[in-house]
Amino acid sequence: MCAEAKERGIHITMHCLEEEMDQAVFEEFKMSPMEYCSSIGLLSPATVLIHMCWVTSPDMKLLQQTGTHIAHCPASNMKLGSGFCPVPELLKEGVNVGLGCDGAPCNNTLDMFQEMRLAAIIHKGHTRDPKVVSAEQALEMATINGAKAVGLDKEIGSLEVGKKADFVGIELKKAHQIPNYDPVATVVYATSAGDVDLVVVDGKVVVEKGVLKTMDEKQVMEEGIKAGREVIKRAGLDKTIVPKWPVITG
């Protein structure tokens, strides 16, 4: 697979070391996880490894030497109890770390602002160091680092001459964002996706004054609810996936 991807110039994205038990798989090869990944040609600047909660210091050097990228998914890791990706150590080692949301069932909101906030605070609590993973680093993880991870940092990820006009606009005037002494800190610690006023993708306005302009949002949500119910029914889980508490509607 790795050789084929390299020959075709295709990037690889793979979940790796999300759970502690994943380590046992690599032990069968009598190699560390990243030694094995390196032996099959997986580690490269065209590879993104997702989660990496259980990567150890020696393997971090291999990640840095090969230019392999990491996608940190803090909301998913916390909800599933997977563990803590050692982001402060990875950044210190010079490994490029971006942010991801993982899938909707293990994240719920798919809110990149939430991921930034979590990435900036959980490692402070875990390491008991309030200086690790600054707001600036979290914002870089959500923008330019992510662009680097997918090989698009020459096109997107930062506002520069020659790059595509990809950005969001936030007024930072809502009650939960006041006072605003530092815009970056306010964006990372006090802002959510619902606060976004403007979204521009490659110069095209897709959200204006908080309203999606490219499709009927209400219709999409209704179709999504219907599709979700049909999937649950086909899976025979319509009697299993129900609220634990009684729900009053109407």
Side-chain angles (χ1 to χ4, degrees):
M1 178 189 73
C2 297
E4 182 77 8
K6 185 176 181 180
E7 183 179 336
R8 293 172 177 265
I10 298 173
H11 286 238
I12 296 176
T13 300
M14 189 183 85
H15 286 229
C16 188
L17 293 175
E18 179 177 4
E19 304 289 344
E20 187 174 12
M21 66 183 70
D22 293 347
Q23 295 172 312
V25 176
F26 297 98
E27 289 173 1
E28 297 177 8
F29 300 98
K30 301 188 185 311
M31 299 180 186
S32 74
M34 293 306 100
E35 284 175 341
Y36 176 75
C37 289
S38 180
S39 72
I40 63 172
L42 179 62
L43 303 187
S44 81
T47 297
V48 180
L49 299 179
I50 307 171
H51 298 302
M52 298 294 279
C53 295
W54 295 93
V55 64
T56 57
S57 295
D59 274 354
M60 292 181 197
K61 296 186 183 299
L62 265 176
L63 293 169
Q64 188 277 329
Q65 291 166 3
T66 56
T68 304
H69 311 277
I70 306 299
H72 178 36
C73 304
S76 171
N77 297 157
M78 296 302 98
K79 184 178 181 184
L80 298 182
S82 302
F84 295 88
C85 175
V87 171
E89 292 90 340
L90 287 164
L91 293 175
K92 187 175 180 179
E93 194 65 48
V95 178
N96 182 51
V97 181
L99 284 179
C101 294
D102 204 4
C106 48
N107 181 287
N108 296 95
T109 64
L110 301 179
D111 183 342
M112 186 55 70
F113 291 89
Q114 181 188 83
E115 302 300 331
M116 282 194 291
R117 183 173 187 272
L118 285 172
I121 64 174
I122 64 173
H123 300 291
K124 292 175 171 59
H126 187 232
T127 63
R128 291 180 292 177
D129 181 354
K131 295 182 180 180
V132 300
V133 189
S134 66
E136 289 78 11
Q137 285 176 311
L139 186 57
E140 288 175 345
M141 288 164 64
T143 53
I144 190 62
N145 290 11
K148 288 177 182 176
V150 294
L152 295 175
D153 52 306
K154 302 298 182 185
E155 301 178 41
I156 60 174
S158 59
L159 291 176
E160 299 181 55
V161 175
K163 287 191 176 185
K164 294 180 178 179
D166 274 43
F167 60 91
V168 300
I170 311 161
E171 289 194 355
L172 303 182
K173 293 181 179 179
K174 295 183 179 178
H176 58 274
Q177 298 168 319
I178 301 298
N180 171 22
Y181 301 120
D182 179 348
V184 173
T186 302
V187 166
V188 172
Y189 294 120
T191 300
S192 69
D195 297 320
V196 173
D197 300 291
L198 174 72
V199 178
V200 177
V201 178
D202 194 12
K204 180 182 178 182
V205 176
V206 297
V207 173
E208 188 171 20
K209 295 182 179 179
V211 178
L212 185 63
K213 298 172 64 69
T214 56
M215 60 187 72
D216 186 329
E217 190 171 352
K218 182 179 179 181
Q219 180 183 345
V220 171
M221 288 192 290
E222 290 174 349
E223 291 175 355
I225 293 169
K226 180 181 177 181
R229 286 173 177 164
E230 290 174 351
V231 169
I232 291 171
K233 186 175 181 180
R234 289 200 303 271
L237 297 173
D238 47 323
K239 303 296 183 183
T240 303
I241 301 179
V242 295
K244 291 187 175 72
W245 288 6
V247 177
I248 300 175
T249 60

